[in-house]
Amino acid sequence: MNLLKALILLVIGAVLGYGISSTTKSHQNNSTLPAVISVETPSTLKKTVDLQEQATPLVQTQPQVINHKPAPLAIADNDEVLTQQYLDLRVEHQQLKDKYQKSKRKVSSLKYQLSEFDGSVATDEEMEKLAPEPFNLFLSAFRGKTRNDIYDFHQKEDDLDWGYNMQNNISDFVQTHYDGMNVDLISVICKQPYCEILVTEKQEDAWDNILKGLSVQTWWKFSSFSTSTKSNEDNELSIYAFFTQ
């Protein structure tokens, strides 16, 4: 019985010893194996890149739109052309305006000449009574429509509204003008739509300068006038002017 136990223990010991020996050898074999380092050759690298390209999803990009701005030189040239065209049109407009004004004055002159052929009911004596000397002689020299308008003008009653205001405007302007001291304002009578002015000019061009100033006033609405002049012994110019709206 003791012999059987000893035999069993011997077998168990042998088995355990063999197992332990195998485990130790296996561990020794693994620890003594040389380390393996992976080195990528060019071919390997190419394969790796190919694999990465295959693995990377393709991204679709939108086409880039490039806005090409017009050349600054072309814009400048275009502006110069437009500017020149504008200047040419202005010159042409002014030329047409001048022609129109010239034609308008010619038509007015022809109308006046035609009106002078009209007869008049007023005699020379009646006309001369309408103004003091030397202006009375101017009145008898007018003919046709102008003569009739002047005569009818003096037959009207005084205009205490429009006429009174216009008389004051004209008188104030003449007296305050820088050439006002170079003229003597004898008379100003206004009855819508006419005004009669009697003036003596003591210095040349003084009345013309005043008349130019009058023509640009906002309240001056006269479109035509008839005038007559005569110099005296003192080289003073007597002026009769009859204005019509």
Side-chain angles (χ1 to χ4, degrees), residues 18-35:
Y18 178 79
I20 294 170
S21 176
S22 298
T23 302
T24 303
K25 185 181 291 185
S26 175
H27 175 72
Q28 290 177 350
N29 289 339
N30 290 334
S31 61
T32 58
L33 287 175

Side-chain angles (χ1 to χ4, degrees), residues 123-132 135-137 139-140:
T123 64
D124 290 347
E125 291 77 11
E126 289 174 326
M127 294 297 294
E128 291 177 3
K129 292 179 182 180
L130 301 177
F135 304 100
N136 57 343
L137 299 177
L139 298 183
S140 60

Side-chain angles (χ1 to χ4, degrees), residues 171-239:
S171 298
D172 292 343
F173 183 85
V174 174
Q175 292 172 2
T176 57
H177 193 273
Y178 64 87
D179 264 320
M181 64 181 66
N182 298 320
V183 300
D184 287 333
L185 191 60
I186 307 301
S187 174
V188 179
I189 303 175
C190 294
K191 301 174 185 179
Q192 195 171 22
Y194 305 108
C195 270
E196 179 190 74
I197 300 177
L198 311 182
V199 62
T200 300
E201 183 184 69
K202 297 182 291 185
Q203 183 173 325
E204 187 177 1
D205 294 332
W207 175 246
D208 285 342
N209 294 334
I210 293 174
L211 190 58
K212 289 177 182 177
L214 280 170
S215 64
V216 296
Q217 301 306 303
T218 56
W219 44 264
W220 184 265
K221 304 298 183 181
F222 299 101
S223 59
S224 62
F225 69 95
S226 301
T227 185
S228 184
T229 62
K230 184 179 179 180
S231 297
N232 59 20
E233 296 177 354
D234 298 328
N235 291 325
E236 292 182 343
L237 190 65
S238 297
I239 303 171

Side-chain angles (χ1 to χ4, degrees), residues 9-244:
L9 291 173
L10 181 63
V11 172
I12 293 171
V15 171
L16 292 172
Y18 178 79
I20 294 170
S21 176
S22 298
T23 302
T24 303
K25 185 181 291 185
S26 175
H27 175 72
Q28 290 177 350
N29 289 339
N30 290 334
S31 61
T32 58
L33 287 175
V36 178
I37 300 175
S38 176
V39 178
E40 295 183 352
T41 62
S43 60
T44 306
L45 289 173
K46 184 176 185 303
K47 290 180 181 179
T48 304
V49 171
D50 292 340
L51 290 174
Q52 290 177 352
E53 290 179 351
Q54 291 177 3
T56 303
L58 295 177
V59 178
Q60 294 183 353
T61 58
Q62 295 293 333
Q64 185 176 3
V65 179
I66 301 176
N67 294 325
H68 296 284
K69 296 182 178 180
L73 182 60
I75 295 176
D77 292 341
N78 190 39
D79 288 344
E80 291 180 1
V81 171
L82 292 175
T83 301
Q84 187 60 46
Q85 290 178 349
Y86 170 74
L87 294 175
D88 292 341
L89 288 174
R90 285 195 62 179
V91 172
E92 185 178 355
H93 171 73
Q94 186 60 43
Q95 291 175 348
L96 291 174
K97 187 176 180 180
D98 292 341
K99 289 181 179 179
Y100 170 75
Q101 293 295 335
K102 186 177 180 180
S103 299
K104 188 177 180 180
R105 287 192 295 268
K106 188 174 182 180
V107 169
S108 298
S109 177
L110 291 173
K111 287 182 177 180
Y112 173 77
Q113 292 177 18
L114 288 173
S115 67
E116 292 304 297
F117 289 102
D118 296 339
S120 176
V121 295
T123 64
D124 290 347
E125 291 77 11
E126 289 174 326
M127 294 297 294
E128 291 177 3
K129 292 179 182 180
L130 301 177
E133 292 183 356
F135 304 100
N136 57 343
L137 299 177
F138 299 151
L139 298 183
S140 60
F142 287 108
R143 294 289 182 269
K145 184 178 184 301
T146 303
R147 184 184 180 112
N148 291 333
D149 288 342
I150 294 174
Y151 182 78
D152 293 340
F153 169 79
H154 281 275
Q155 308 312 308
K156 288 184 176 182
E157 294 182 358
D158 293 340
D159 186 345
L160 301 179
D161 186 12
W162 179 90
Y164 177 78
N165 292 330
M166 186 60 66
Q167 289 170 194
N168 288 336
N169 287 338
I170 295 173
S171 298
D172 292 343
F173 183 85
V174 174
Q175 292 172 2
T176 57
H177 193 273
Y178 64 87
D179 264 320
M181 64 181 66
N182 298 320
V183 300
D184 287 333
L185 191 60
I186 307 301
S187 174
V188 179
I189 303 175
C190 294
K191 301 174 185 179
Q192 195 171 22
Y194 305 108
C195 270
E196 179 190 74
I197 300 177
L198 311 182
V199 62
T200 300
E201 183 184 69
K202 297 182 291 185
Q203 183 173 325
E204 187 177 1
D205 294 332
W207 175 246
D208 285 342
N209 294 334
I210 293 174
L211 190 58
K212 289 177 182 177
L214 280 170
S215 64
V216 296
Q217 301 306 303
T218 56
W219 44 264
W220 184 265
K221 304 298 183 181
F222 299 101
S223 59
S224 62
F225 69 95
S226 301
T227 185
S228 184
T229 62
K230 184 179 179 180
S231 297
N232 59 20
E233 296 177 354
D234 298 328
N235 291 325
E236 292 182 343
L237 190 65
S238 297
I239 303 171
Y240 175 89
F242 187 72
F243 297 90
T244 304

